[in-house]
Amino acid sequence: MISLRNVRALARAATAIENQTTESRAFLEEISAHTGTGLILGITGPPGSGKSTLVDALAQAFRGQNKTAAILAVDPTSRASGGAILGDRIRMQRHHADSGIFIRSMATRGSVGGIAQATANVAKLFRHAGFDFVVIETVGVGQDEIEIARLADITVVVLVPGMGDDVQAIKAGILEIADIFVINKADYPGADRTERELHAGGWSARILKTVATEGIGIAELIDAVTSCPIRPRQLDAEAQIDHLGIAVRSIDAALQFYSGSLKLPLTLRETVPQEKVDVAMLPAGGPRIELLEPTEPDSVIGRYLAKRGEGLHHVALRVSDLAATVQALRNSGAHLLDEPRRGAGGHLYVFVHPESTGGVLLELIQS
Ligand code: CO
């Protein structure tokens, strides 16, 4: 168990996870076994909106309420900008003496997907360590920042009045991910106009005004954050295709192609009585091919073969939190075929009807 009380162990685990060392695998397993209950808060917005000052003010307010917070400052553009965000953090060094606040900066590591995944994992590490709040702060509002900010449970988009352009000029993508808008530097002229524009834009997110340099509006922001319903999007940078399910009349015949000719390794052959199906699993890179042969005609796969013939039966996507994903799908009106069930290997799975997915039966699984 990595605790926020052991700053050195925490820093070491974060470095291992960020650098994807072999040691990080053990940490990630530990984290998924004990996820923690802290709130992951994303803070994003255009440069110059005072995000760092706002995060600084939030950190102070959290400590005033006897709450702990980890701050993860992410700069996906640091190679080009020279890591300005790191300079900003010097201002926050005074928190270092205070064990309730932990600050970590992350810069670009290869692809956007790479930094999003690393950010998700380090944020999970901090929640696992027991912090009440994990704040992910991004430097700008590019596509990369949007990807990162949306990893959070709740996303705050910070704007300022009179930035020389209307709200409409700010990329719509960043407005759409907001759970809460903060108009910071609200003592500047034009704050009301920015608020009107947000209302006129039809965004349903709450709008708050702050003057972070003076601590004005920070308590209200914390209230809004802690009472905001969490969108179950939850750190799913790691959703990935797990397998493609192919309905065949005969697994033995199909294996002559997939295993014999194509040379895919055969890692699993089993019968799943509850589904009345024989299964063969063949890894193909990351994802696997799942061959499905019915054990009797009166079964899901048996009826599929009778109606449609052999072919792609379903696509299986692995998600990190199936319950949260199912909740989100229900909220959005998606048609789930059943309740999540436990499969032979102990994993949870559920099927989503093709009418909700663009015509493909979708299996969602979580190990
Ligand atoms: Co499957």
Side-chain angles (χ1 to χ4, degrees), residues 242-245 279 281 290 292 313-316 347 349 351 363 365:
D242 183 85
H243 63 263
L244 305 174
V279 175
M281 279 289 190
E290 177 184 48
L292 301 154
H313 176 258
H314 65 267
V315 172
H347 65 286
Y349 69 102
F351 282 96
E363 179 183 8
I365 70 176

Side-chain angles (χ1 to χ4, degrees), residues 113-128:
I115 195 166
Q117 181 69 72
T119 303
N121 287 336
V122 173
K124 283 179 181 174
L125 166 72
F126 292 157
R127 184 164 62 183
H128 161 87

Side-chain angles (χ1 to χ4, degrees), residues 48 67 71 80 139 167 170 188 198 236 248 254 272 286 321 339 362:
K67 298 273 199 269
I71 295 154
V139 69
V167 165
I170 296 167
Y188 283 39
L198 284 170
D236 241 328
V248 297
V272 185
D321 187 341
E339 294 295 317
L362 184 68

Side-chain angles (χ1 to χ4, degrees), residues 42-367:
I43 302 218
T44 191
S49 55
K51 292 184 297 287
S52 298
T53 314
L54 187 74
V55 170
D56 196 3
L58 277 173
Q60 279 192 54
F62 288 146
R63 289 314 288 140
Q65 299 180 355
N66 233 350
K67 298 273 199 269
T68 55
I71 295 154
L72 184 52
V74 186
D75 186 355
T77 60
S78 58
R79 212 169 269 159
S81 73
I85 202 167
L86 297 170
D88 281 353
R89 308 279 35 127
I90 291 167
R91 193 175 33 78
M92 295 193 67
Q93 293 299 316
R94 62 196 162 94
H95 289 303
H96 268 291
D98 175 350
S99 67
I101 301 287
F102 185 84
I103 301 166
R104 177 94 189 182
S105 291
M106 280 176 51
T108 303
R109 315 195 65 82
S111 67
V112 176
I115 195 166
Q117 181 69 72
T119 303
N121 287 336
V122 173
K124 283 179 181 174
L125 166 72
F126 292 157
R127 184 164 62 183
H128 161 87
F131 287 101
D132 298 310
F133 294 92
V134 178
V135 181
I136 302 174
E137 177 197 335
T138 68
V139 69
V141 284
Q143 194 55 46
D144 307 354
E145 282 89 348
I146 292 176
E147 287 304 312
I148 289 161
R150 69 185 309 148
L151 298 171
D153 295 326
I154 291 168
T155 303
V156 176
V157 173
V158 187
L159 304 169
V160 276
M163 289 182 66
D165 44 47
D166 296 335
V167 165
Q168 277 75 6
I170 296 167
K171 286 197 185 83
I174 202 77
L175 299 179
E176 276 153 17
I177 63 167
D179 297 298
I180 298 168
F181 287 114
V182 166
I183 303 171
N184 191 31
K185 305 186 185 177
D187 51 340
Y188 283 39
D192 292 336
R193 188 183 150 199
T194 304
E195 186 177 7
R196 277 197 304 277
E197 284 173 350
L198 284 170
H199 279 303
W203 310 108
S204 58
R206 236 180 119 180
I207 303 169
L208 295 170
K209 291 181 185 160
T210 59
V211 183
T213 49
E214 321 228 336
I216 295 170
I218 300 302
E220 291 81 355
L221 176 56
I222 293 177
D223 281 349
V225 162
T226 48
S227 64
C228 183
I230 294 173
R231 279 195 229 172
R233 59 192 161 213
Q234 313 226 2
L235 303 183
D236 241 328
E238 61 192 37
Q240 55 175 296
I241 302 284
D242 183 85
H243 63 263
L244 305 174
I246 301 173
V248 297
R249 292 203 175 81
S250 160
I251 283 185
D252 286 332
L255 280 177
Q256 282 175 23
F257 172 79
Y258 284 103
S259 181
S261 312
L262 212 48
K263 310 285 185 209
L264 295 183
L266 174 64
T267 57
L268 177 75
R269 195 104 196 239
E270 65 176 4
T271 301
V272 185
Q274 64 183 14
E275 305 283 358
K276 298 174 187 162
V277 73
D278 283 335
V279 175
M281 279 289 190
L282 302 99
R288 301 174 291 173
I289 302 278
E290 177 184 48
L291 300 173
L292 301 154
E293 176 189 334
T295 54
E296 53 185 89
D298 183 22
S299 62
V300 171
I301 298 298
R303 287 190 293 272
Y304 181 88
L305 283 171
K307 195 172 156 192
R308 309 271 292 268
E310 294 186 309
L312 182 66
H313 176 258
H314 65 267
V315 172
L317 196 62
R318 178 182 295 273
V319 298
S320 57
D321 187 341
L322 186 65
T325 304
V326 163
Q327 185 63 48
L329 292 177
R330 290 235 162 85
N331 291 347
S332 71
H335 179 175
L336 276 74
L337 284 176
D338 44 25
E339 294 295 317
R341 280 181 288 174
R342 211 164 271 288
H347 65 286
L348 283 170
Y349 69 102
V350 70
F351 282 96
V352 188
H353 195 280
E355 73 184 13
S356 302
T357 64
V360 180
L361 180 63
L362 184 68
E363 179 183 8
L364 297 172
I365 70 176
Q366 177 199 323
S367 35

